[in-house]
Amino acid sequence: MAAIRCCLAASKLLNNSIKSCVMYRVTRSNHAPPSSDERVLMLREILRRKKEAGPEKKYHRNTFLEWNYSAELYAFSKRIGENFEGNFLQQAFTQRSYVVKQETLNKDLGLDDPDRFLEDNRSLAAKGEELSRNFVARYLRTALPCLPEEGILHIRDHILKEDNIAKVLCSIGADELILCTDFPTETQTKVSTFYALVGAVEASSGPERGSLFVRDFLITSLSGQDIHALCMPEDKLGALSQIFLREGKEAPEPRIISQVGMNSIIPCYRIGLYSEKKFLGSGAGESIQDGIDNAALNVLWKLWDMPDGKLQFPFDLDVSSVLNNSRSNVPEAEWTSDKVKKQVRPSR
Amino acid sequence: MSAIRRLMHIVNPSVNALLRKPGSNLLNQNFLSNNQSLPSLTSFLGLKTLSPVSRAAKAFPKTPSHQSTVVDTSVDDERTIEEVISKVNSQIENKSHGRLFAIIQLANRQWKITPEDVVVVEGHWPPNVGDSIRLEKVLLVGSSDFTLVGMPLLRPDLVNIQATVVEKRLSHTKTNFKKKRRKQYQRINFYRYQHTMIRINSITLSAVNEKKDLEGVDGRVF
Amino acid sequence: MSNSHLFLPSGFPRATLGNGIGRYICQLKRITLKFCKERGSSMGMRDFLEHDLVDYASKHPSVVVYVKPRRNRSAVIKAEYCNGEEFWMSTYKMTREEIRKWLELCTTQNDGAEFRFRKMMHTDTPSIQGPWTPFSHRNPELNTASFPHEELSKPVFIPQSATDRLIELFKEQQHTLKSVKEG
């Protein structure tokens, strides 16, 4: 009996459900272990009760006995390799909601000590967001000097998406350190905490160190992702034709190079694009329109100096040279190869 | 022979296409019997290199039994070699070669790597987590337009491959089971290998220079 | 060699979110060492805590070390990683040296997952010169050719026929006669 009760206690169901085990034989000695049949029945019963009770309630890591917040903060700063001055790190993790909650608690308890006032991370988050947006855009412009400005901004928006930033924050182990009232932590909270961290690094060690932080965490989140998927204009052949017309050349014409399996489920059309009878590039697709689109994309990417498969996005550019790069890329509506010829390739 | 020894081997088919005469099918060619139909590819590469063309020629040999005029192409060869090397060098200087791949020898295995790859080295390997490592045994480096083949290794001043050790863990439990049937003998041995994960950071090239006639060990440890 | 007999998940090597591309981040967040103050099975753990714990903690400042004495429980290491995964290991009757080694493993691991690697490598760009397609080395003549085509429909390799050999022998003979005449 004791053994069976122990097992049920271990499954944490003893707290919620009935305390007496009605299903099992009562007349047993206290020290005999349950037989295998009894164990099977018992396990089945436990599973049924577990499913009935619903999913287990999740608790924050700080509810555990083994939790030392100041030690965690120190370890975090060592993990990311940054030295924070003063109270910046603590401030970066403190959300406004938490500060409000603490203030109301203090008021209720009658503690109105002005020295014990917690700063929230709104100002740091604002500074960090500004630095991140600026730096990411400049970095992309340095890494992809021939890409039109719209492409740069599109990639930047992709990097600065909320889900992406939240994922980065969790991967550096910072989400448990956030002081906030919502649990599980919302994406918006994580985003503001990340920006506040950037702001804290900048405040402690300067804008270059802050930019290095952004480079090593935000920009590297691009690795493994398809950058070319972010640089696809909607009307591919149209975009390419406009570039050629602006340069005073004939608009590219598509021609079928070869076609295979036209009557089958997966035909393959290889389309080549030619301007003034000169070969520009080719692409393949399951339909002629797909082939034309792919060919146009391949030519566009070649013009923008990021050919498919050949592009190596640099993740280790020098931060100070990136910060000094204040020019913006040529917009799509004005893009020609001449304007882009003078661009300097990024130095590693 | 010096021209051939200085040669950096070109394997890419697009370059081959440039040098090949239009409409020629490599395997149908009679390479050595009729000089007028010699494709410029063989004249460029020379007869004794390991190009796909001469490999085919070796497979289907047709040594002429009668006398034939041999065209001396050494001047043309030298010029073409210089052109190709300067093109490769200009790409390296401008860093316009794009993504590079390399074949390296690491822990008695060979890998084809490119930056941002993760490689798992199995077995005891000293480098610790967080260390930055230079991979020196490079057999081949290639880009989309050219390939540099080492004989057998490339010089360390030519190519630099940097990597970081990211993780050191143990493999899943592997078993070694022995049994001799009807002899009441069976043994099971459980073991786990050390796995080291390294992340390839960068592959950088410096300009291709004159190959030295005499090359030493260059301070390498093999 | 099949692995179907293993009740073990399999996967490809992965490194959390570009670890190593930017800066290297130690993936271990915190480690909890649970032990009993009296029982013999925790003796190794107690020895470790007495002699090696401070060295370990100072060598790995990015790891928070918690020490939790619990009555009548055996010694245990619990490691928590940045990707949320946990690694739990019993150190029942282990010696101080063993515990030190296992702790070092916990620190250098990226997570506590045990699975079989399908490939010993991971790459996002497997092909730089372009993967082979059936169109890669096609003869351009085939584009405008109409079949049956005399030249392209010939076999790739025709061994020398008897007639060809005779012609060769004839040429050789002519050459020998010519050279005899001249010199």
Side-chain angles (χ1 to χ4, degrees):
Chain A
M1 218 41 208
I4 297 168
R5 216 183 292 128
C6 269
C7 293
L8 278 175
S11 75
K12 289 182 195 168
L13 287 171
L14 207 57
N15 296 328
N16 324 346
S17 61
I18 38 173
K19 295 207 173 166
S20 58
C21 311
V22 184
M23 294 252 324
Y24 307 103
R25 287 179 289 161
V26 183
T27 50
R28 295 187 91 251
S29 91
N30 276 347
H31 301 292
S35 70
S36 57
D37 295 339
E38 283 179 327
R39 279 198 78 240
V40 166
L41 287 171
M42 186 172 67
L43 288 168
R44 247 191 234 149
E45 175 63 15
I46 288 171
L47 187 64
R48 191 190 66 80
R49 290 187 195 183
K50 236 184 182 170
K51 282 187 180 166
E52 221 180 85
E56 258 187 55
K57 190 179 175 195
K58 286 193 179 162
Y59 297 94
H60 198 282
R61 185 65 178 77
N62 61 15
T63 54
F64 285 33
L65 259 179
E66 55 269 21
W67 178 260
N68 183 341
Y69 190 64
S70 51
E72 294 279 343
L73 278 184
Y74 175 79
F76 174 76
S77 69
K78 290 287 169 202
R79 193 181 311 138
I80 57 172
E82 299 289 345
N83 291 322
F84 291 93
E85 267 173 38
N87 211 27
F88 287 127
L89 184 59
Q90 170 68 81
Q91 192 187 341
F93 280 115
T94 318
Q95 288 289 110
R96 176 80 191 136
S97 54
Y98 182 82
V99 173
V100 164
K101 181 179 138 197
Q102 287 298 100
E103 280 176 354
T104 45
L105 267 175
N106 286 346
K107 269 209 184 116
D108 292 341
L109 290 169
L111 300 162
D112 259 333
D113 196 352
D115 293 332
R116 296 189 58 197
F117 111 105
L118 282 167
E119 270 191 56
D120 60 44
N121 62 7
R122 281 177 303 177
S123 58
L124 283 177
K127 284 196 198 138
E129 187 172 356
E130 196 195 312
L131 178 97
S132 305
R133 287 184 78 81
N134 195 20
F135 179 76
V136 170
R138 286 189 183 195
Y139 194 96
L140 292 170
R141 286 186 196 119
T142 318
L144 304 165
C146 305
L147 186 63
E149 183 67 14
E150 284 85 350
I152 298 284
L153 296 177
H154 190 54
I155 302 176
R156 183 195 61 182
D157 292 338
H158 176 82
I159 293 176
L160 297 179
K161 247 191 216 167
E162 295 202 331
D163 292 332
N164 193 35
I165 296 180
K167 202 166 79 171
V168 169
L169 191 83
C170 292
S171 75
I172 56 177
D175 56 340
E176 288 161 333
L177 304 173
I178 306 174
L179 295 171
C180 58
T181 50
D182 46 307
F183 179 78
T185 352
E186 275 158 36
T187 318
Q188 186 51 47
T189 317
K190 291 182 188 170
V191 168
S192 67
T193 310
F194 182 85
Y195 284 139
L197 277 171
V198 175
V201 174
E202 190 197 354
S204 309
S205 322
E208 269 202 29
R209 195 76 206 169
S211 304
L212 198 70
F213 183 87
V214 175
R215 186 195 84 175
D216 285 342
F217 294 107
L218 270 191
I219 309 252
T220 51
S221 68
L222 258 189
S223 82
Q225 294 191 32
D226 190 9
I227 296 174
H228 290 98
L230 301 164
C231 307
M232 284 198 208
E234 274 190 42
D235 182 15
K236 288 121 185 167
L237 190 60
L240 185 63
S241 311
Q242 275 175 23
I243 293 174
F244 271 76
L245 291 169
R246 233 174 281 134
E247 290 176 4
K249 299 181 197 165
E250 264 180 43
E253 288 175 25
R255 293 277 186 276
I256 300 179
I257 295 175
S258 56
Q259 48 191 15
V260 147
M262 279 80 69
N263 294 330
S264 66
I265 315 168
I266 36 165
C268 177
Y269 296 94
R270 281 176 69 231
I271 310 286
L273 289 175
Y274 299 84
S275 167
E276 290 160 8
K277 295 192 179 169
K278 282 194 194 139
F279 179 71
L280 300 172
S282 74
E286 281 190 21
S287 67
I288 292 181
Q289 189 53 48
D290 275 349
I292 293 172
D293 285 342
N294 286 334
L297 276 176
N298 283 335
V299 179
L300 276 171
W301 289 333
K302 232 192 268 184
L303 286 174
W304 293 337
D305 197 28
M306 39 185 288
D308 200 7
K310 203 175 156 183
L311 171 69
Q312 187 187 316
F313 187 85
F315 292 104
D316 53 355
L317 290 181
D318 183 41
V319 160
S320 43
S321 62
V322 168
L323 285 172
N324 290 337
N325 175 22
S326 54
R327 51 151 191 88
S328 64
N329 279 13
V330 184
E332 208 178 323
E334 299 165 18
W335 201 97
T336 57
S337 332
D338 302 317
K339 287 187 185 168
V340 141
K341 257 181 198 167
K342 299 161 198 170
Q343 304 296 6
V344 178
R345 203 156 248 115
S347 62
R348 262 75 166 169
Chain B
M1 268 323 270
S2 65
I4 295 160
R5 284 179 71 221
R6 270 204 296 145
L7 179 67
M8 295 301 179
H9 196 73
I10 313 289
V11 201
N12 186 279
S14 66
V15 178
N16 282 345
L18 287 170
L19 298 174
R20 201 191 299 146
K21 270 166 63 172
S24 67
N25 190 345
L26 281 174
L27 295 171
N28 260 350
Q29 278 286 345
N30 232 354
F31 295 113
L32 307 166
S33 53
N34 186 359
N35 290 327
Q36 270 136 14
S37 69
L38 258 180
S40 41
L41 186 66
T42 36
S43 65
F44 160 62
L45 285 174
L47 304 174
K48 292 197 180 93
T49 54
L50 293 170
S51 68
V53 169
S54 60
R55 225 184 278 134
K58 274 190 182 162
F60 318 115
K62 277 209 160 219
T63 12
S65 50
H66 51 277
Q67 217 178 36
S68 54
T69 333
V70 176
V71 176
D72 180 21
T73 54
S74 56
V75 174
D76 284 336
D77 284 351
E78 294 254 348
R79 196 166 25 92
T80 328
I81 289 165
E82 290 296 335
E83 273 174 28
V84 169
I85 292 180
S86 66
K87 275 188 193 166
V88 171
N89 279 340
S90 68
Q91 278 208 354
I92 294 172
E93 271 166 38
N94 299 333
K95 294 195 201 297
S96 61
H97 43 66
R99 187 173 274 274
L100 293 171
F101 70 90
I103 298 183
I104 52 159
Q105 174 123 353
L106 191 64
N108 209 28
R109 271 150 242 135
Q110 290 184 4
W111 311 88
K112 180 182 100 66
I113 55 164
T114 182
E116 295 155 59
D117 276 2
V118 175
V119 166
V120 179
V121 178
E122 196 170 64
H124 171 70
W125 205 54
N128 282 320
V129 140
D131 288 348
S132 189
I133 285 174
R134 184 182 170 173
L135 305 172
E136 287 185 332
K137 289 189 194 165
V138 188
L139 295 108
L140 185 146
V141 168
S143 80
S144 70
D145 289 333
F146 64 86
T147 320
L148 307 180
V149 181
M151 299 205 270
L153 298 177
L154 288 169
R155 292 197 320 270
D157 57 340
L158 181 63
V159 60
N160 186 331
I161 301 182
Q162 293 289 339
T164 317
V165 179
V166 167
E167 186 187 358
K168 261 179 126 70
R169 66 183 306 136
L170 292 177
S171 72
H172 71 276
T173 313
K174 299 184 181 177
T175 54
N176 183 17
F177 183 68
K178 297 180 212 179
K179 180 172 174 157
K180 283 196 199 223
R181 56 183 178 179
R182 299 183 297 275
K183 303 297 171 204
Q184 294 302 316
Y185 172 78
Q186 80 181 25
R187 301 279 183 270
I188 184 157
N189 184 29
F190 298 103
Y191 59 91
R192 295 176 85 175
Y193 283 133
Q194 201 179 71
H195 279 334
T196 314
M197 301 241 269
I198 60 172
R199 168 84 75 178
I200 311 296
N201 290 121
S202 64
I203 302 176
T204 29
L205 282 176
S206 61
V208 171
N209 289 322
E210 271 272 345
K211 186 171 158 18
K212 296 179 233 178
D213 281 334
L214 188 68
E215 208 171 88
V217 175
D218 291 338
R220 266 197 247 256
V221 176
F222 290 103
Chain C
M1 295 275 287
S2 77
N3 288 293
S4 55
H5 61 284
L6 298 174
F7 293 96
L8 192 70
S10 62
F12 297 93
R14 59 198 182 177
T16 346
L17 216 85
N19 199 12
I21 299 179
R23 57 186 80 166
Y24 164 71
I25 309 266
C26 178
Q27 294 291 306
L28 179 61
K29 282 196 287 199
R30 61 191 76 90
I31 219 163
T32 312
L33 304 167
K34 303 176 188 175
F35 69 107
C36 180
K37 287 184 183 174
E38 266 128 23
R39 303 200 99 156
S41 56
S42 297
M43 194 174 77
M45 178 62 88
R46 289 195 298 270
D47 285 341
F48 173 82
L49 295 175
E50 199 184 313
H51 299 106
D52 301 324
L53 180 67
V54 180
D55 290 333
Y56 174 83
S58 54
K59 208 169 138 194
H60 304 285
S62 64
V63 178
V64 191
V65 181
Y66 295 105
V67 169
K68 192 173 181 185
R70 301 189 298 172
R71 273 176 298 181
N72 302 324
R73 298 275 185 281
S74 55
V76 145
I77 301 175
K78 186 152 170 234
E80 283 156 76
Y81 293 94
C82 284
N83 56 7
E85 289 186 30
E86 287 172 355
F87 175 76
W88 182 98
M89 205 178 111
S90 170
T91 52
Y92 179 78
K93 283 189 180 174
M94 274 195 191
T95 60
R96 167 185 153 192
E97 189 56 33
E98 283 178 9
I99 291 174
R100 193 190 61 77
K101 286 183 179 170
W102 279 111
L103 220 58
E104 204 184 295
L105 175 76
C106 289
T107 323
T108 57
Q109 278 186 153
N110 275 4
D111 53 35
E114 191 182 319
F115 60 91
R116 175 182 66 86
F117 281 146
R118 287 194 211 175
K119 294 260 189 264
M120 300 306 262
M121 198 173 141
H122 167 79
T123 176
D124 291 315
T125 37
S127 175
I128 287 160
Q129 294 183 352
W132 178 89
T133 65
F135 301 107
S136 290
H137 304 298
R138 252 170 92 91
N139 191 346
E141 255 192 26
L142 287 164
N143 289 338
T144 47
S146 62
F147 290 91
H149 192 276
E150 204 204 313
E151 205 43 52
L152 294 171
S153 302
K154 270 190 190 167
V156 164
F157 170 63
I158 312 167
Q160 198 185 39
S161 66
T163 320
D164 289 334
R165 180 70 186 128
L166 281 171
I167 294 169
E168 230 183 78
L169 286 167
F170 175 72
K171 279 189 182 159
E172 243 177 275
Q173 195 189 45
Q174 293 297 304
H175 171 71
T176 350
L177 285 170
K178 192 176 162 193
S179 58
V180 162
K181 257 192 202 173
E182 284 169 4

